[in-house]
Amino acid sequence: MTEALLFIVSSPSGGGKTTVIKSAMARLENRGFPCHFSVSHTTRSPRPTELDGVDYHFVDRGEFESMVGRGEFLEYAEYAGSLYGTSRREVLGKMDQGIDVFLDIEVQGANQVKTAIPDVVKVFLYPPSYEELKGRLIHRGQNSPEAIRRRLMWAEREFSVAGEFDYAIINDRLDEAVETLVGICLAEHHRSDRMKPVLDGIRQDFVLRLKEDVT
Ligand code: ADP
Ligand code: 5GP
């Protein structure tokens, strides 16, 4: 209906980005908005349940740096000792096909995307509390105690720039957080400037029909 949009969802690790984005995408697809979850490249090792090409493209540092050299990343950043990057071709290719793209990325990368694509919509997911975030990271069972400690320390830095995001969602009750993200995405599609081509079409058709009808 409107042009494809690019959404960034950031939060501390364990804040619920993957879970909330994937549920929101399913609901948006049902509403007629095709969506794509961008699969990042990373130099970190896969977790036990992660699959190459599905959760991430797992690459070594040399390969990652060659990709940086070839300008293949829309953005990239170092997080907790590993490199993470978003493929420019994947994102722009999907958007050219009219498909909304969701980026699950940290805050340094979010800034780079905003510079490259100012129209991007940035959403920050807050965990409801320190205890809840720590509990979710432990319960997810995918990070060592040391990795969890590093992610919690990194969270403090991420909170300090969260105010620069367009929207904030507190991910307390999952269903409400998903509903809120869906609402934000729908509202962004319905901004009147983005709806203009569709509205112009309806108005022109209306004028034609009116002329035919009354003459
Ligand atoms: P991120 O992608 O931000 O690192 P995940 O989506 O992997 O976070 O979520 C971290 C863990 O918290 C997962 O085990 C997920 O099932 C759980 N989780 C996410 N949102 C909620 C919520 N609202 N209530 C309870 N558990 C949640
Ligand atoms: P994790 O190792 O927990 O999967 O991810 C760690 C952090 O890296 C999360 O905040 C996640 O959003 C972020 N991340 C994942 N992919 C990318 C990416 O392509 N670019 C950037 N800048 N951050 C990413």
Side-chain angles (χ1 to χ4, degrees):
M1 187 164 68
T2 49
E3 289 208 344
L5 296 180
L6 179 60
F7 296 100
I8 292 177
V9 181
S10 291
S11 80
S13 183
K17 294 176 293 292
T18 316
T19 311
V20 173
I21 294 174
K22 295 221 163 143
S23 295
M25 280 175 47
R27 293 187 201 181
L28 286 162
E29 297 258 5
N30 281 338
R31 293 285 303 258
F33 292 93
C35 302
H36 175 74
F37 185 86
S38 164
V39 180
S40 297
H41 287 71
T42 184
T43 62
R44 87 152 161 72
S45 318
R47 295 173 187 147
T49 59
E50 286 179 332
L51 292 174
D52 189 28
V54 176
D55 299 288
Y56 281 104
H57 300 287
F58 295 98
V59 293
D60 62 29
R61 210 164 248 267
E63 195 175 343
F64 193 100
E65 279 161 5
S66 305
M67 292 181 73
V68 172
R70 293 194 297 268
E72 289 184 26
F73 290 123
L74 177 60
E75 63 72 37
Y76 69 96
E78 181 136 13
Y79 175 95
S82 300
L83 292 164
Y84 295 83
T86 301
S87 158
R88 185 187 302 279
R89 197 175 51 186
E90 180 177 336
V91 170
L92 301 182
K94 291 291 174 188
M95 291 179 72
D96 281 349
Q97 293 169 46
I99 299 171
D100 285 354
V101 176
F102 286 80
L103 305 183
D104 163 347
I105 63 175
E106 53 69 68
V107 297
Q108 306 164 80
N111 274 341
Q112 295 171 39
V113 176
K114 179 77 187 172
T115 305
I117 305 179
D119 202 31
V120 65
V121 180
K122 289 166 61 188
V123 181
F124 196 92
L125 268 189
Y126 277 76
S129 67
Y130 174 83
E131 286 74 20
E132 188 64 39
L133 179 61
K134 188 174 173 185
R136 286 180 193 171
L137 281 167
I138 294 170
H139 187 251
R140 186 167 68 180
Q142 301 273 320
N143 295 107
S144 66
E146 172 52 21
I148 289 178
R149 197 183 65 80
R150 264 189 285 155
R151 279 165 166 69
L152 289 169
M153 289 183 62
W154 212 279
E156 191 185 0
R157 199 196 286 196
E158 293 172 312
F159 286 139
S160 70
V161 293
E164 294 163 18
F165 280 63
D166 301 306
Y167 296 97
I169 301 174
I170 300 170
N171 180 19
D172 190 355
R173 294 181 50 170
L174 181 59
D175 194 57
E176 286 177 12
V178 172
E179 223 24 74
T180 308
L181 181 58
V182 170
I184 289 167
C185 298
L186 291 176
E188 286 289 335
H189 270 290
H190 286 80
R191 290 177 65 99
S192 39
D193 52 344
R194 296 204 174 109
M195 291 280 286
K196 190 169 181 308
V198 182
L199 302 180
D200 285 350
I202 293 175
R203 206 178 54 240
Q204 280 158 16
D205 189 59
F206 183 96
V207 171
L208 277 177
R209 299 280 173 163
L210 181 67
K211 261 195 201 141
E212 287 165 10
D213 202 32
V214 295
T215 52

